[in-house]
DNA sequence: GACTCTCCCAATGTAC
DNA sequence: GTACATTGGGAGAGTC
């Protein structure tokens, strides 16, 4: 939990003007801060929109008779499988490299 | 809309072929099921991408000296404030209605 | 609980005096209302206490090496219908087979 | 992200007999397991009973003319207000810390 | 009786 | 490596 506010940079750019605002210097540029906040908020809006789209797909599927619980299960299984396959490939690659064999040659 | 097994459509759309596959009828159309699954998976990909963008914004902000923990708190507060306002209106409305007063009369 | 606010009783109990306060008549007895609220709050306190006891039991079990997830599952399974479990598995299998995925591979 | 379940106790109580059963040791004592399960189930029964009491209070209130929906809202508001106060303090603290100000100095 | 919503727990990923 | 925060999943309660 070491952090708190170790203000990186204070002192070592004393020579010139900063190209970017320096919150650490004690000068908080309101517009700059707002920009950060709003960018995040905008992205979170988008993310939320996507989440709603997903819900819609499930709702539609449900309306057509699918069991959404099972659907979710299936999808998560596929995700798992993909991750495992990835790992398998990584291992394969590792071994191949170890014996001086380039799978992509 | 019924669940379980009331197989919507069976029998009462006897005139034609169903416009949409009917999982309830016991016929699972592979392509149809796959379509549902892939749409969800695609949306989840997008969602994940957005989440990464958000992380980037925070990383950049941090690099510029902002305290991300505080930033996150600020943003969540703003979100809550908005939600709160909504909620307050809902409550006001509820109470007004309960005492027979129509705020929009 | 169907209706929104059909305020039963307004005006048509002109015959006698009510033995109990009548909120609908427009007279809200503060002490009476508070009594209701506090009774509920008290019961919710108790309920919360029990919930905490349950958590404790799980915590203790976990400390003794039990897998709480499995425990929860067991308990909920006991509650759940065996036939339903069968059905869930059957559906999962059905879907998986439909998309050419073997869960037991 | 290492372990699955770090099996406490294996090996380090080699000197004596365990005071309590050790599921991790592979020995699942049926009576012990059942005891855990039944305690939980019993508590859940109690919890359910309280939930029913709460419903009764609402039913009675409703019979006396109260709008239960409003009642529920009132109660949840009171709960939230308390939680809110807590939260506000936490936020104040966070911000104060962020600007290098110790509220408890 | 089913659907929705909320809360709680477990898991993952991240930051320090 | 530890702890923290976010996310997803599951169970329970309430509403219609």
């Amino acid at each position: 939990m070491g952090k708190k506010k170790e203000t990186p940079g204070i002192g070592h750019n004393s020579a010139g003007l900063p190209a970017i605002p320096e919150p650490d210097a004690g000068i908080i540029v309101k517009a700059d801060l707002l920009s950060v906040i709003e960018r995040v908020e905008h992205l979170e809006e988008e993310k939320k929109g996507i989440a709603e789209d997903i819900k819609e797909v499930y709702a539609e599927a449900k309306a057509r008779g699918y069991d959404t619980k099972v659907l979710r299960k299936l999808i998560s299984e596929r995700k798992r499988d993909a991750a495992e396959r990835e790992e398998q490939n990584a291992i394969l690659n590792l071994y191949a490299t170890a014996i001086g064999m380039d799978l992509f040659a």
Side-chain angles (χ1 to χ4, degrees), chain A:
Chain A
M1 211 106 317
K3 215 199 65 147
K4 223 102 238 226
K5 85 234 227 359
E6 51 124 338
T7 56
I10 272 233
H12 59 266
N13 59 352
S14 51
L17 296 177
I20 49 169
E22 281 181 294
D24 283 336
I27 308 162
I28 303 263
V29 180
K30 181 177 175 181
D32 184 54
L33 174 57
L34 267 182
S35 150
V36 172
I37 290 177
E38 280 162 4
R39 264 190 293 160
V40 171
E41 285 178 342
H42 177 243
L43 287 168
E44 284 183 348
E45 271 303 300
E46 283 189 55
K47 189 156 147 254
K48 189 177 175 183
I50 311 257
E52 278 157 12
D53 289 347
I54 293 175
K55 276 183 67 175
E56 272 176 51
V57 174
Y58 277 120
E60 183 201 329
K62 182 189 195 114
R64 285 164 59 200
Y66 285 107
D67 182 324
T68 60
K69 192 173 172 185
V70 173
L71 282 180
R72 286 174 191 277
K73 194 101 194 154
L74 263 181
I75 289 168
S76 79
E77 293 271 332
R78 275 163 65 103
K79 217 179 298 176
R80 254 187 82 89
D81 289 350
E84 269 171 40
R85 224 165 303 135
E86 270 305 304
E87 177 144 11
Q88 291 300 328
N89 282 335
I91 294 174
L92 176 59
N93 230 311
L94 179 64
Y95 287 1
T97 305
I99 60 171
M101 172 182 171
D102 189 348
L103 293 175
F104 304 116

